Amino acid sequence: MDEALIRSLTPGVLGALVRRGADFAAAEDAVQDALIEAIRVWPADPPRDAKGWLVTVAWRKFLDVRRAEAARRRREESVDEEPTPGPAASVDDTLQLYFLCAHPSLTPSSAAALTLRAVGGLTTRQIAQAYLVPEATMAQRISRAKRTVSGVRFDQPCDVATVLRVLYLVFNEGYSGDVDLAAEAIRLTRQLAAAIDHPEVAGLLALMLLHHARRATRTAPDGGLVPLAEQDRSRWDTKSIAEGVEILQAALARDRLGEFQAQAAIAALHADAPTAGETDWVQIVEWYDELAGLTDSPIVRLNRAVAVGEADGPRAGLAALAELDGSLPRHAAVAAYLHERDGDLATAARLYAEAAHKAANLAERDYLTRQAARLNTARAR
């Protein structure tokens, strides 16, 4: 069965059940049961209308569960309660489901986690890594969120900031290459920007476009990671860069700065540099200062340390890095890079090896391992 097809259909099926009156948690369970049934049936008897088939089967699964729960009160359900089999309406419910999951009864972090799991298709482990928490902690958070929204009405105003956060996390997961959701996140953010006139929505869209413009150059033909400084800038998507910069400039002109606009400004400065050596690191540090003031994120401060190392020299970068928790993801990799630039190859090689051991994916691990080997070879000469 085509996993990409299933991923594209799942939000629409889930949205159809919610609109028919199913509470979110029960609807999600019913959709999962329908997918299992599809795995069993479709290889031998593929349906003409995949979404219509899934909606019909999922609704039946939902009704079966409700009948069992209400067996004492109601022994039979009318056949009319089931949707008539046939072609389903071609409606994109994905963005609406993002808003449904951003329910005011949930905290922003729980709403984001629930949406990533139920709509974005990410695993609990991937979500935990994005939030820098243990997988077991994230599993409990998602379970509590499902229980909270089970049976509640989805007619209260949702949290747009939470929807933006979820779209951003989905894009990042897709951009990493682990799950190819980056293009879908851009599509949904375009829809949101068309519906909501807000500078942070525009800032997020600009940020996505600027990052996505470099995607083709982020990996080598063998799948190896290519750092920003070594990417072939002639292969960057100049059309996406121009669009992202135009959207960003219009958002910044409204003088309502937010974190996505600040991140997009940093990405635009990278995109504007003809070569890595011509990057305006001084301005990038200034934007990281703005971003740190908006978010107080340790990851932002980690990235700022790199920028400080480029603008003011590696020792200044190491001094900024010393203020941060050494257990942060990529802390060892940043320290290795700055020590190498400072000429301490032995420490840099050791830290690259340490960073490789902690890497979140194979491409990053291989790159860091090669960096450590390169420096050890250089030291042996």
Side-chain angles (χ1 to χ4, degrees):
M1 186 168 54
D2 189 336
E3 292 185 7
L5 173 62
I6 289 297
R7 184 180 294 124
S8 67
L9 292 176
T10 298
V13 177
L14 186 57
L17 265 65
V18 171
R19 288 198 305 274
R20 290 179 183 274
D23 62 84
F24 188 88
E28 186 184 20
D29 290 341
V31 171
Q32 294 302 317
D33 288 341
L35 295 179
I36 293 172
E37 186 72 6
I39 291 173
R40 186 182 69 82
V41 172
W42 285 9
D45 185 20
R48 292 183 179 179
D49 177 16
K51 180 179 176 181
W53 190 97
L54 285 170
V55 169
T56 300
V57 173
W59 183 251
R60 287 173 177 164
K61 297 288 185 183
F62 167 75
L63 290 180
D64 287 344
V65 171
R66 281 303 171 90
R67 288 188 185 107
E69 292 175 348
R72 296 181 195 176
R73 304 187 307 270
R74 189 180 63 213
R75 295 293 181 182
E76 295 182 357
E77 290 286 348
S78 170
V79 117
D80 293 336
E81 288 184 272
E82 299 183 10
T84 303
S90 179
V91 178
D92 185 356
D93 298 297
T94 309
L95 188 58
Q96 179 62 22
L97 284 172
Y98 274 73
F99 277 90
L100 293 180
C101 288
H103 195 268
S105 63
L106 297 174
T107 64
S109 60
S110 294
L114 177 62
T115 313
L116 290 168
R117 184 70 185 93
V119 188
L122 275 64
T123 67
T124 303
R125 180 178 182 181
Q126 289 168 328
I127 302 168
Q129 289 173 345
Y131 274 90
L132 309 180
V133 300
E135 184 175 354
T137 300
M138 183 53 65
Q140 292 175 356
R141 183 179 300 176
I142 293 172
S143 295
R144 285 196 300 269
K146 287 181 180 179
R147 290 195 298 269
T148 300
V149 301
S150 179
V152 304
R153 292 183 59 84
F154 290 98
D155 56 0
Q156 297 174 264
C158 62
D159 183 4
V160 175
T162 300
V163 175
L164 290 178
R165 173 64 52 191
V166 174
L167 286 167
Y168 177 59
L169 291 172
V170 170
F171 175 81
N172 279 344
E173 197 62 49
Y175 192 63
S176 74
D178 294 330
V179 179
D180 191 10
L181 294 172
E184 174 69 358
I186 292 174
R187 183 183 72 84
L188 293 173
T189 306
R190 284 191 188 278
Q191 287 186 9
L192 189 58
I196 299 177
D197 182 21
H198 194 287
E200 271 295 82
V201 178
L204 177 58
L205 179 57
L207 175 63
M208 289 180 175
L209 290 169
L210 289 164
H211 278 315
H212 205 60
R214 305 198 304 257
R215 187 174 187 183
T217 64
R218 294 185 73 247
T219 55
D222 62 358
L225 185 66
V226 180
L228 177 61
E230 299 173 19
Q231 291 174 15
D232 181 358
R233 297 180 180 226
S234 68
R235 295 177 58 211
W236 287 359
D237 183 349
T238 54
K239 182 178 179 181
S240 292
I241 291 173
E243 182 185 5
V245 169
E246 181 180 359
I247 292 171
L248 173 63
Q249 288 174 339
L252 291 175
R254 301 177 66 175
D255 198 24
R256 292 168 57 192
L257 184 64
E259 62 175 295
F260 294 121
Q261 295 169 73
Q263 288 189 60
I266 294 169
L269 286 168
H270 283 298
D272 187 55
T275 66
E278 296 173 85
T279 303
D280 190 343
W281 288 106
V282 174
Q283 272 205 71
I284 288 177
V285 171
E286 292 173 355
W287 276 112
Y288 270 123
D289 288 338
E290 293 278 2
L291 187 55
L294 290 166
T295 68
D296 196 30
S297 163
I299 299 300
V300 168
R301 295 188 181 279
L302 183 71
N303 291 332
R304 178 185 177 277
V306 176
V308 169
E310 298 290 353
D312 301 326
R315 294 192 179 182
L318 287 168
L321 188 64
E323 300 174 3
L324 303 176
D325 186 346
S327 65
L328 282 172
R330 295 184 57 249
H331 187 284
V334 170
Y337 174 74
L338 292 172
H339 276 291
E340 180 184 357
R341 288 200 60 223
D342 195 39
D344 187 352
L345 301 189
T347 300
R350 175 179 59 79
L351 288 170
Y352 275 129
E354 178 185 329
H357 180 70
K358 298 177 180 178
N361 58 68
L362 182 60
E364 185 178 352
R365 185 181 69 192
D366 288 347
Y367 171 77
L368 293 168
T369 299
R370 288 196 299 270
Q371 295 298 95
R374 174 179 59 81
L375 292 186
N376 284 326
T377 301
R379 291 172 56 224
R381 288 175 181 171

